[in-house]
Amino acid sequence: MVEDLGLHRSIASGSLDELENVFMAIAVMKELTSKTRDYLVYFGQHMSTRIFSAYLNKLEEGARQEWESFAVDTCGRGGSDLTMTTIGRDSGSREIQVWKDVNGVLTCDPSVCANAIPLPYLTFDEAAELGLFGGQSMQLAMEGGIPVIVKNLCNPQAPGTMITKTRDMSKSVLTSIVSRSNITVLNIESTRILDHSVFLATSFSTFGDLGISIDCVAISEAKISLIVVPSKPSSRELIQLELNNVVEELQKFAVVHRLQGKSVISLIGGTQTSATYL
């Protein structure tokens, strides 16, 4: 890329040498901390910024684009989406484009169902149900009234999927099917130590205190059944320590049964007709 842009190789070569040293240190120490992971991610952004800055300097006579290095942290999964929608909203963009490796949002997972087809339109509510972007990213786009278009980087000619606030739902029965595997389900049954309202409040506050999210809650008089969501969005499963901690706290006032290795199938058909099956 550097050579294609007519820039000097030294723009990236120094960073690549430093990156190689970091990899060698990891190999020797046999340890990879979260801070080191952030530092590794930084190299891609660092080199991209330097290349972009140098190319702008080449194009703009008399104008100098400067760059600086700072301590690095990462936003985790969805960080780029949040950045994208923030810039799009604040700059009053006509649309926000998200480039993926598929021809838009598909009716189901193509690795599971080979005849999955792209959806031409979605609402922000449907996109949120599908978990396409972080909730904050979706909210920013909605606030700005800016359509989000999902396009295919490998097939730019494909129309993609346009996500807007509303769409014609008169002929829409089922929008998409989503499946998740390796799901943990907790059945929490009151020991009658606490009354019903206190039991519910204490149960949910336990998850909040431990930073664990929950999904698909079913509540009866003295029992709660729910799906436990990992504290880190990049992880599909709860790590065992998280699960043990929450069960230990819940067992102080309830009987807890855990069901692991389950799967969830969600049928998305507009927020008022969506359903989830375990």
Side-chain angles (χ1 to χ4, degrees):
M1 182 188 297
V2 170
E3 292 175 345
D4 289 343
L5 294 175
L7 304 175
H8 198 274
R9 292 176 61 91
S10 61
I11 290 174
S13 59
S15 295
L16 291 173
D17 290 340
E18 185 179 354
L19 179 60
E20 183 177 3
N21 291 334
V22 174
F23 280 130
M24 291 178 64
I26 293 171
V28 172
M29 298 298 293
K30 294 182 173 58
E31 182 179 7
L32 182 59
T33 65
S34 58
K35 186 175 181 180
T36 305
R37 288 178 183 271
D38 286 344
Y39 191 56
L40 289 173
V41 172
Y42 148 83
F43 278 95
Q45 304 297 336
H46 175 73
M47 287 187 284
S48 297
T49 303
R50 293 201 64 178
I51 293 169
F52 188 56
S53 175
Y55 189 62
L56 288 179
N57 290 334
K58 179 182 176 182
L59 295 178
E60 300 286 338
E61 295 184 5
R64 301 298 299 173
Q65 307 293 328
E66 303 296 337
W67 59 274
E68 296 182 60
S69 295
F70 299 93
V72 178
D73 195 4
T74 55
C75 298
R77 185 173 181 268
S80 59
D81 293 334
L82 180 58
T83 302
M84 166 194 67
T85 51
T86 301
I87 294 174
R89 183 199 62 173
D90 293 347
S91 62
S93 300
R94 184 180 71 253
E95 65 184 34
I96 296 171
Q97 297 180 356
V98 183
W99 292 85
K100 302 291 186 179
D101 58 354
V102 290
N103 292 332
V105 181
L106 303 180
T107 50
C108 55
D109 187 345
S111 65
V112 177
C113 184
N115 60 351
I117 59 174
L119 297 161
Y121 299 100
L122 280 177
T123 65
F124 287 116
D125 287 339
E126 288 174 309
E129 287 276 339
L130 291 169
L132 295 181
F133 312 106
Q136 192 173 359
S137 301
M138 198 64 61
Q139 185 64 35
L140 288 173
M142 289 180 63
E143 289 175 356
I146 305 173
V148 177
I149 302 177
V150 182
K151 300 276 287 182
N152 189 349
L153 186 64
C154 303
N155 183 19
Q157 292 75 29
T161 300
M162 177 175 286
I163 306 173
T164 55
K165 187 174 182 179
T166 60
R167 71 182 182 97
D168 182 9
M169 301 291 293
S170 60
K171 297 181 180 180
S172 176
V173 178
L174 183 63
T175 300
S176 184
I177 302 174
V178 181
S179 64
R180 290 181 291 166
S181 57
N182 296 322
I183 296 296
T184 299
V185 179
L186 292 183
N187 292 323
I188 309 166
E189 189 170 354
S190 174
T191 56
R192 307 292 180 176
I193 296 176
L194 306 175
D195 63 40
H196 183 59
S197 60
V198 177
F199 166 66
L200 293 178
T202 306
S203 297
F204 289 120
S205 64
T206 299
F207 288 97
D209 293 341
L210 295 175
I212 298 176
S213 300
I214 56 178
D215 191 15
C216 298
V217 180
I219 302 176
S220 63
E221 179 61 30
K223 187 175 180 180
I224 305 172
S225 296
L226 49 83
I227 294 173
V228 190
V229 180
S231 58
K232 294 183 178 180
S234 59
S235 175
R236 289 184 174 270
E237 300 178 60
L238 278 174
I239 61 174
Q240 196 61 42
L241 179 60
E242 286 181 307
L243 187 58
N244 290 341
N245 286 343
V246 72
V247 170
E248 182 180 348
E249 290 299 314
L250 291 170
Q251 285 178 334
K252 295 178 180 179
F253 58 87
V255 178
V256 182
H257 301 282
R258 68 177 84 179
L259 303 174
Q260 295 179 272
K262 299 297 180 179
S263 296
V264 169
I265 298 176
S266 298
L267 309 180
I268 312 299
T271 55
Q272 295 187 1
T273 57
S274 300
T276 299
Y277 301 92
L278 176 64

